[in-house]
Amino acid sequence: MPTSGSRTRRAGRAHGGADTATPGRTPEALVLLCSVGSAAVTVAQPYVLGRTLDLLLRDGGADGAAGRWLLLSAALLVGELLLDTLTSLFTGRCNATWTASLRSRALDGLLRAVPDRARPFAPGDVGTRLTLNAADAGGAPAARAALAASLVTPVGALAALAVVDLWVAACVLAGLPALALVLRAFARDTGASVADYQKTQSEIASRLLEAMEGTATITAAGTGARERARVLAPLDRLAAQGRHMWVLHGRALARSGVLVPLLTLAATAVGGLRLASGALSVGELLAVIRYAQLTAGIGGAASLLGAVVRGREARNRVLALARVPALAHGTRRLPPAGRGTLELRGVRVVRDGRQVLRADGVRVPGGATVAVVGRSGAGKSVLAAVAGRLLDPDEGQVLLDGVRLDRLSRDALRTEVGYAFERPAPVTGTIAEMVAGGPRRVSPEEVREACRAAGADGFVRRLPDGYDTPFPAAPLSGGERQRLGLARAFAHAGRLLILDDATSGLDTATEHEVDRALRRSVRPGTRLVVAHRPSVAARADLVIWLAEGEVRAVAPHHELWERAAYRAVFAADASEDEAKAEAAAGTGAEAEAGTGAEAEAEVGTGGKAEAKTGEAPDRSATRRSAPEGVRP
């Protein structure tokens, strides 16, 4: 099986293809076109005005030439106003288009990413990148076009100045290198400052979101003041970074603000001398003074340059989400007659140099229910992620019905491998739409059947609008939301269904009902259940016992119960007697639920035979009544 590094590179290249999709250059080109047009009009105005003034002073416009030049001046003024209006309009559209595009690409990349690779991005950080940073990055193309157009004005003005009077042009040209150095220093220092400022914004947002999620705990503990101080601790640093940014900006404007008047004054002095010598007319003096101002106005590009630098840093932060490695899928499909046999061969997952999972020779027979057991941090969720290919192992292979998961097409994988988690994903539609949403098309009747199987039908019917109640507005407890998440998983169940803490919010009786429905009312297939209660392990056909990231054993629960270390997994927070009582209550509840007096023997005999022979347990076999699965 390829290493995760090679897969990541392939996924990055595949994902990078989507990353290059942009709104195109049309919005930016329109801003540039209108800005350049406005700059051209601005450059033409001083010459036309100077010519008009000379004609009016010479003969009062008696020959009509002054009138024509006066009309041309008015036309240029109206044209400049119109072009500035269009520039503002196209700038707004360009900003909105690029911002929406960046947000869509970042969100798409985040949702398609390997969950384990996206975990370093805290929710608050993601929110900041998709809002503030995306808005700054979306404004960069228009700012870039405006910056390019702003350079047209001084360059054109300098060229026109050289046409009108070469000496004045030489005077202004001598001062331009100083302005260029000011802009260069500003761009260099601003980049690092903006990056630090944006990171601190994200840190505050992440802390605030953490505090909001723990509001109940903070209130109960009376630690509001301490939590407020923790959230706002980076505020002093943010203020210092903000002041530094404004200092850089103000310094650039101040330096250019000194140089521009000096250049203008020098140009005016030289122009006055040229007028006195008869080399310039009054109108030409007016033109050269205005051109000197426009040429020196290159220092005013500092604001646009700051927006471009800020947008560049923000774009890097936003597109970091789009570049999170995604899983590369193959083209194969599963054999139609498969029952969901799951195999893990030489699987190894390493994080930060530490092995978090090692599983070799693990085989789950098709149609079996398997509990994944272990202490906190033993690697249960990692195994669940690897088994359904939410995560690729660094070494080894995972096969479903003999086909490697990394060679399956995306549709084949997600149609046949389903998940239910502790907290179902939020949706904006109704409860019916929430349950129906998934890889399969689910009818309203199938939605209700899935809800009945998950024990959710009763409370859904009691809601004001029943299944048409908007999910975000429904007054649901954590356990009820969890049951709806189970219902959605049941409605889309394929040949492999993985429940990762999906029943943690349910009481024992409801959990047992869900387990019975999972066996009888949901599409047949293999079940992989992350278990914390011995009753769940006792009802399973097999148990995968994890300890310190390694599979310690794969056997029926009643066999593993003979080991003290296995019993200690369930007795970590309770006495051994309490663990036994909970297990006995679970098996007793199963007997009362109608599985018969001999219900539990299959867990022992069928599971044991399965572990040795690799054949699916025969559910039609007679079960023994003695709860061997929980007997110490």
Side-chain angles (χ1 to χ4, degrees), residues 430-438 440-461 466-469 483-492 521-522:
T430 64
I431 287 178
E433 292 170 341
M434 179 267 187
V435 175
R440 303 176 186 272
R441 296 189 62 180
V442 180
S443 67
E445 181 56 34
E446 289 173 324
V447 167
R448 288 188 289 270
E449 289 179 1
C451 286
R452 284 193 289 268
D457 182 68
F459 69 77
V460 171
R461 289 183 180 276
Y467 282 90
D468 293 327
T469 303
R483 274 182 270 178
L484 287 175
L486 284 168
R488 177 162 61 182
F490 292 171
H492 299 277
S521 304
V522 181

Side-chain angles (χ1 to χ4, degrees), residues 124-125 128 196-210 230-231 233-234 237 317:
D125 181 36
T128 302
D196 292 339
Y197 187 85
Q198 292 171 346
K199 289 178 182 177
T200 306
Q201 279 183 318
S202 293
E203 183 180 348
I204 294 176
S206 297
R207 295 188 180 196
L208 177 59
L209 189 57
E210 291 169 358
R230 184 188 74 86
V231 172
R237 184 175 4 122
R317 288 179 54 78

